Amino acid sequence: GKIAWVENDQLWVGDYRPTRIPALQGNAIASGSNIAAPSWSPRCAMLVFSRGDRIFRISPGGGASQKLTGPDNALEASWGP
C-alpha cells in the first residue's frame, strides 16, 4: 500500500512494505515550513495537506500543489464520501 508522512518540513510518499526494515522509503513531493496532516483521497489519486493555515492538494507523483483555502480557513483536511 501507499503511505504519506511529513519529515523535516517535507511531505513524503512511498510504498509501505511491512516485511521490509525500514518500512518507510519514498520520495519528497512537497516542502516548506509547517507542512502537516497529509490525507489520501479515497482512491489514492490525490493528497491534501495543511501548510500553516492553508490547505493544499497535490498528486502523489509530485508536481505543483494547488491551494484550496485561503488564510485562516482551516487547519486540517480530510476526504468525504
Side-chain angles (χ1 to χ4, degrees):
K2 294 281 187 189
I3 190 167
W5 70 96
V6 177
E7 183 179 339
N8 298 326
D9 290 330
Q10 292 183 315
L11 175 60
W12 292 77
V13 173
D15 293 320
Y16 177 70
R17 297 184 182 130
T19 60
R20 194 171 165 178
I21 298 175
L24 298 178
Q25 293 184 344
N27 299 309
I29 62 168
S31 62
S33 61
N34 300 319
I35 290 180
S39 177
W40 287 99
S41 66
R43 294 193 176 135
C44 297
M46 298 296 286
L47 279 161
V48 292
F49 63 94
S50 63
R51 183 183 295 151
D53 56 0
R54 296 184 174 137
I55 302 295
F56 293 83
R57 176 175 67 181
I58 193 167
S59 166
S65 59
Q66 178 185 13
K67 183 173 54 172
L68 301 178
T69 65
D72 301 323
N73 289 105
L75 295 177
E76 281 189 29
S78 64
W79 296 91

